[in-house]
Amino acid sequence: MHDSSHDSGAADAGHIRLSKRVAEMRGCSRREAEWLIEGGWVQVEGRMTEAPGARVRPDQDVTVAPNAKAEEAPPVTILLHKPAGWEAGIGHGPAGDPRQARGDGAPDAVALLEPGHRYVGDSPPVRVLQRHFRQQECFTPLASAATGLVVYTQDRRMARRLAEDIELLEQECLATVEGRIAEGGLERLCRGLEFNGRPLPPARVSWQNETRLRFALKGIRPGQIPAMCEAVGLRVVGLKRLRIGSVSLAKVPEGQWRYLLPWERF
């Protein structure tokens, strides 16, 4: 009786880890070979492979880019234009299934971080790697009903900066409102209101048109702008965050993302 499992085992016996094959080709360490593969420098049969543990046969064509650098790929920070209906915030990062609905039924916006949703625009070229989408965490919460700029990072220094300084960074938002503003309401929005029992710091608030108010303020908390508007007779029907610190959403379309560039600072 023919033993097909034996044939399969024999066939697999000739396979080796891609990292071992690259290490032998380059005369480098296994760790350096893994960096080359994870950095997107290695192709198997003409297709880029980012998995060091992939198994290859001796007769398969494996190539390493001439300009390849055997160094660990640096962490990245991603700027997403979150659409309405998606949740973003602390605790919506790498743990669990990113597409799993949260308590309020909204899916986690981290699921939008994939190569097909990248906005290139006029940014310099950046090699998109699968490792860029691992362990991404959000420290700039945004309610599911709101749209606009959300920051995800896998850079520990950036995460610490956002966690510690988010209340010190000015945020710019556009609120679409309904209703008639109370007399002196604009002045009250700029100074003199309370939220959750504490006085709010001064804010810069101005009309953009008959239905849109522009807010520029620090220490913003979820629900704060709708509460501020309600205090002066207005109801928020749409909210969009345009900027955090000196980093803006710019031309990124809704549902797409771009990389934070090396020279950009919050």
Side-chain angles (χ1 to χ4, degrees), residues 175-190 193 205-215 223-238:
T176 302
V177 296
E178 290 180 344
R180 182 182 295 274
I181 192 169
E183 187 175 349
L186 191 61
E187 291 74 18
R188 289 184 62 202
L189 287 172
C190 292
L193 291 178
V205 187
S206 59
W207 286 105
Q208 296 298 288
N209 56 39
E210 292 182 352
T211 60
R212 283 189 174 182
L213 280 168
R214 173 188 171 275
F215 287 78
Q224 179 177 326
I225 289 179
M228 291 172 69
C229 290
E230 186 177 335
V232 296
L234 298 173
R235 187 171 76 91
V236 172
V237 295

Side-chain angles (χ1 to χ4, degrees), residues 7 11 21 25 33 55 67 112 150 153 174 184 194 196 266:
D7 286 352
R21 174 80 173 271
M25 290 171 54
R55 311 287 290 184
N67 59 334
L112 298 172
V150 174
T153 190
L174 277 182
E194 291 186 354
N196 290 341
F266 285 99

Side-chain angles (χ1 to χ4, degrees), residues 86-147:
W86 295 79
E87 191 77 27
I90 297 176
H92 299 260
D97 180 3
R99 291 169 176 78
Q100 181 179 349
R102 318 313 278 192
D104 61 359
D108 193 333
V110 75
L112 298 172
L113 305 185
E114 57 181 32
H117 290 155
R118 183 192 176 195
Y119 171 69
V120 179
D122 54 3
S123 298
V126 176
R127 294 163 53 81
V128 180
L129 304 173
Q130 286 300 320
R131 67 179 291 115
H132 290 167
F133 309 112
R134 299 176 195 146
Q135 302 299 312
Q136 285 285 356
E137 291 190 85
C138 174
F139 293 88
T140 55
L142 196 59
S144 59
T147 68

Side-chain angles (χ1 to χ4, degrees), residues 7 31 36 42 44 46 52 55 63 67 79 88 96 122 152 196-197 202 204 220 239 253 259:
D7 286 352
R31 188 69 190 107
L36 288 168
V42 176
V44 177
R55 311 287 290 184
T63 58
N67 59 334
L79 311 177
D122 54 3
Y152 287 89
N196 290 341
R204 291 183 290 131
I220 184 173
L239 187 63
Y259 290 108

Side-chain angles (χ1 to χ4, degrees), residues 28 34 37 49 56 67 78 90 98 121 143 152 169 182 206 231-232 244:
C28 63
E34 291 175 353
I37 298 164
T49 302
V56 294
N67 59 334
I78 290 175
I90 297 176
Y152 287 89
L169 297 172
S206 59
V232 296
I244 299 175

